[in-house]
Amino acid sequence: MKKLIIIIIFLVSPLITNAQQLGASEPNNEEKIITANKISVGIPSSKIPKDYIAAIGGGLIVEEVLIELKETWPDYVFKKAYDLPPLKEVENFILQNGHLENIPSAEEVDKNGIKLGEMNIKLLEKIEELTLYIIEQEKRIKKLELNQKNSQN
């Protein structure tokens, strides 16, 4: 987390300095606040939830972001013990809930936003599950083709 803070300070400070050099007015406290505990650019620091240390109003352009995760990367999907749900269960969940299991609904995202690291883990889990389904289907297709070829002979 400290690396991300340093990157944000590194990125934001030159932008503010450059804007001042180009004749922009001095930012007021609502536009730029950097304290020992919080960084706020373009948004009042009072709007930063207590568990967060930085907020940027508007977009942010960066070339790279490193996210150090506290959670397990989903390699567990490829372990023998992983319980890959049957596609019928997946379909039933989608029909009942309108979204994939363990993926937030559009309503939840509108209300709470998403945490990029957490979402990347969930999306990779789904990609790995899809890979297992494709492998399974490929085996079934090969078996059907072999059975069809044998029945024609």
Side-chain angles (χ1 to χ4, degrees):
M1 186 60 115
K2 291 180 183 177
K3 288 181 184 179
L4 184 58
I5 298 166
I6 293 167
I7 291 169
I8 291 172
I9 292 171
F10 179 75
L11 292 170
V12 171
S13 295
L15 294 175
I16 294 166
T17 303
N18 290 342
Q20 291 168 351
Q21 289 172 351
L22 293 172
S25 63
E26 181 70 27
N28 63 35
N29 287 343
E30 297 268 310
E31 293 172 339
K32 177 192 99 171
I33 299 172
I34 300 176
T35 67
N37 296 326
K38 294 195 184 279
I39 300 168
S40 175
V41 177
I43 188 168
S45 62
S46 60
K47 301 234 181 213
I48 302 174
K50 76 173 192 165
D51 294 342
Y52 293 85
I53 56 168
I56 298 175
L60 175 66
I61 298 172
V62 298
E63 290 186 18
E64 184 175 328
V65 174
L66 171 65
I67 299 174
E68 293 183 359
L69 299 172
K70 296 177 184 174
E71 298 181 42
T72 304
W73 203 241
D75 288 345
Y76 53 81
V77 171
F78 295 130
K79 304 280 187 213
K80 294 253 186 241
Y82 185 72
D83 188 22
L84 184 67
L87 284 172
K88 189 63 179 167
E89 281 182 28
V90 174
E91 179 186 24
N92 289 341
F93 187 91
I94 293 168
L95 292 172
Q96 196 170 39
N97 300 286
H99 61 90
L100 290 170
E101 189 172 4
N102 296 325
I103 300 293
S105 67
E107 183 179 302
E108 290 172 299
V109 172
D110 285 345
K111 182 180 176 186
N112 304 317
I114 59 169
K115 294 180 179 180
L116 290 178
E118 183 180 298
M119 184 55 70
N120 280 341
I121 288 171
K122 290 177 179 190
L123 292 174
L124 182 58
E125 179 184 80
K126 296 304 175 192
I127 290 168
E128 290 182 355
E129 288 177 351
L130 283 170
T131 302
L132 291 175
Y133 289 127
I134 291 168
I135 291 169
E136 208 173 274
Q137 287 182 347
E138 178 68 14
K139 288 177 183 178
R140 291 175 60 200
I141 290 168
K142 293 289 183 191
K143 186 176 179 179
L144 287 170
E145 288 173 343
L146 183 62
N147 288 343
Q148 185 181 19
K149 184 178 177 182
N150 288 339
S151 68
Q152 289 175 351
N153 290 337

